[in-house]
Each structure stands twice: as structure tokens, then as C-alpha cells.
Amino acid sequence: MSLTEHLPAPAGPARTGHGRLPRLLAAATVAPLIRWIVAADSVPGGTQRRTACDECGTSIGLAGPLRALSPLARCGTCRHRIGAPPATVELALLVSVGVLVVAARPVSETVAFAWWALCVLPLFFVDLAVHRLPDRLTYPAAFGTWGLLGLAALLGGTETAGGGTAWLRSLLAGLAVAFVFAASTVLLGRRGFGLGDAKLALSSAAVLGWFGWELVFFGLMVSFVAAALTSVALLLAGRVRWSGHLPFGPFLILGSLVTLALA
């Protein structure tokens, strides 16, 4: 049986592609904001958020030169690289918009998934850079996604993905996966998942749980396989050692996006 066979077919208008241009324009609008969040939070734990260029001290906020928040990702004064690599945030946003278009869900659900994507995209780049997932992003991702999916259940009833049943399953999926990740941290220490991964799972697993437990397991499988293949490739290339630590957050986000597109 297909993983998505149990799902109802989306309504006809959702597949027409109407509204893609506004989504693309919205993505272009929020890209500088995401770049600013990534630059500010890509610092070691316990330190203050970055507010200026590390080389020359020029502000990287909205009050500073906009070049730092553009796809060029360079300081407007000294040209030092700021935050995520050039064009990567913009590419990630385009991919996320494409996933939402391909998923073709009702508007209320799409809003919930868009909120989740906007919260986790900065986490993707921050975790890659400094191996941490700040609470200021993981908690809004979780509570915002739960709340918006609850609203989608109220507005769509049983025509969405099970109505209230889907929302309860979504909530339980997030809590269950987060509990497993947190337990591995307690039992295995550095060999297990981090607490940040557990907090990220609150929202990522909830998105998948909206469609069914099968997609929760499928999304986790995609995440684990992607992480394993990347680890092997980096080991063979000599980029990491067996004792090295690979952040799992980006793979959890990637696996959730892939599964959302299939759903």
C-alpha cells in the first residue's frame, strides 16, 4: 500500500497552481529576515547574538548596509562573508515554496506548513554552522505549528486530513518523537540526539503526523538514511573522523520536507 493511499485527494483548485507568484514574492520578502536570523544566531551557545560584522563591526541588522542581508551575503563595508553562504537561503526558500505547491493542501494547512518552514529554515543553517538549535526558534516552530494545525482542523473538519483526529495525531507524533530523542540524550550523551533535536522534532514530526503515522516513520527513515549517507561520504573524503559529530537537525528538516512534498 502506498504511504499516501489513505489520504483524500486535494480539492481541484488546489492543484491549479493559482497563487504561486504571491508565494514566490513572499519568499523573496522574507529572505533578508531569515539571513539576519541566521547571522545573529550562528554563534556558540552561551554567547550573545551577533549584531555586527566580526571583521569591521558594521551593523548587520536592518539598520546596516543591506548587502549583508542580500544573496551576496557580504558585509557592506569590508566584504567579509556574513551568515549563510551566498544564495543558499534564497534557494532553500524556493525549494520550500515548491514543496508547498507540490503538496497542494488547503489554504489553512498551507499556512501552518509555511509557518513551520519559516521557523526551521534558519535552524537548518544555524545547526550546520555551529551545531545548535536555539530555543527562540524551536519553540515558536512547535507551538505555532500546533496552533495553526488546530485551526486548520476546525476550519476544514474531516475534509482536511482527518479533522480533529489529524490534529491529535499530529500533537502525539511531535511529543512521541521528541521524547525518544530526549531519552537518547539522557541515556547516550553525545552519542544520542541533542535536546535541540528533540525540540525541533516537536514541530517536524507534528507536520508529518498530520498525514498519518506511516509518514512519520517514512520521514524519519529519510532523515536517518540521508544522515548516514552523508556521514559515509564525509568519512571517505576525510572531512570528518569517527569521533566527529554531525548535526542531525538539517537532516530532520530535509526528511520532513521530502515527505511533505510526497504527501
Side-chain angles (χ1 to χ4, degrees):
M1 178 182 292
S2 171
L3 287 173
T4 58
E5 185 177 343
H6 66 288
L7 299 179
R15 292 184 179 273
T16 62
H18 294 316
R20 293 186 184 183
L21 181 58
R23 290 175 183 176
L24 292 174
L25 292 177
T29 302
V30 301
L33 175 61
I34 292 180
R35 280 201 166 277
W36 173 71
I37 294 174
V38 172
D41 285 323
S42 294
V43 294
T47 60
Q48 294 184 346
R49 303 180 78 191
R50 181 181 288 111
T51 59
C53 173
D54 293 337
E55 293 294 320
C56 67
T58 300
S59 173
I60 61 172
L62 297 178
L66 294 181
R67 184 185 182 94
L69 304 181
S70 74
L72 298 175
R74 297 287 177 180
C75 174
T77 302
C78 68
R79 305 295 180 88
H80 180 70
R81 203 190 89 182
I82 302 292
T88 53
V89 168
E90 293 72 21
L91 178 60
L93 273 170
L94 288 176
V95 170
S96 299
V97 170
V99 168
L100 294 178
V101 171
V102 171
R105 302 303 302 168
V107 174
S108 58
E109 294 181 33
T110 300
V111 170
F113 300 145
W115 170 264
W116 169 77
L118 288 176
C119 289
V120 301
L121 283 182
L123 290 169
F124 181 96
F125 292 100
V126 171
D127 203 15
L128 281 178
V130 293
H131 293 198
R132 60 186 293 263
L133 296 165
D135 291 347
R136 63 173 57 93
L137 292 174
T138 54
Y139 285 140
F143 295 123
T145 300
W146 290 349
L148 289 171
L149 286 178
L151 181 61
L154 290 175
L155 295 177
T158 57
E159 295 181 2
T160 53
T165 302
W167 181 81
L168 180 59
R169 182 176 60 238
S170 176
L171 179 64
L172 291 176
L175 292 174
V177 177
F179 175 80
V180 172
F181 281 15
S184 75
T185 303
V186 175
L187 297 175
L188 302 176
R190 281 183 53 84
R191 291 178 297 173
F193 297 100
L195 289 179
D197 296 323
K199 296 170 186 177
L200 175 60
L202 289 171
S203 61
S204 297
V207 167
L208 304 183
W210 178 260
F211 298 100
W213 289 105
E214 296 92 340
L215 266 70
V216 175
F217 294 121
F218 180 78
L220 291 175
M221 180 184 69
V222 172
S223 303
F224 291 137
V225 170
L229 292 177
T230 301
S231 299
V232 171
L234 292 176
L235 283 170
L236 293 177
R239 300 291 299 274
V240 298
R241 299 180 179 180
W242 284 105
S243 59
H245 177 73
L246 196 66
F248 186 70
F251 298 104
L252 181 58
I253 295 169
L254 177 62
S256 301
L257 282 172
V258 169
T259 307
L260 179 58
L262 294 177

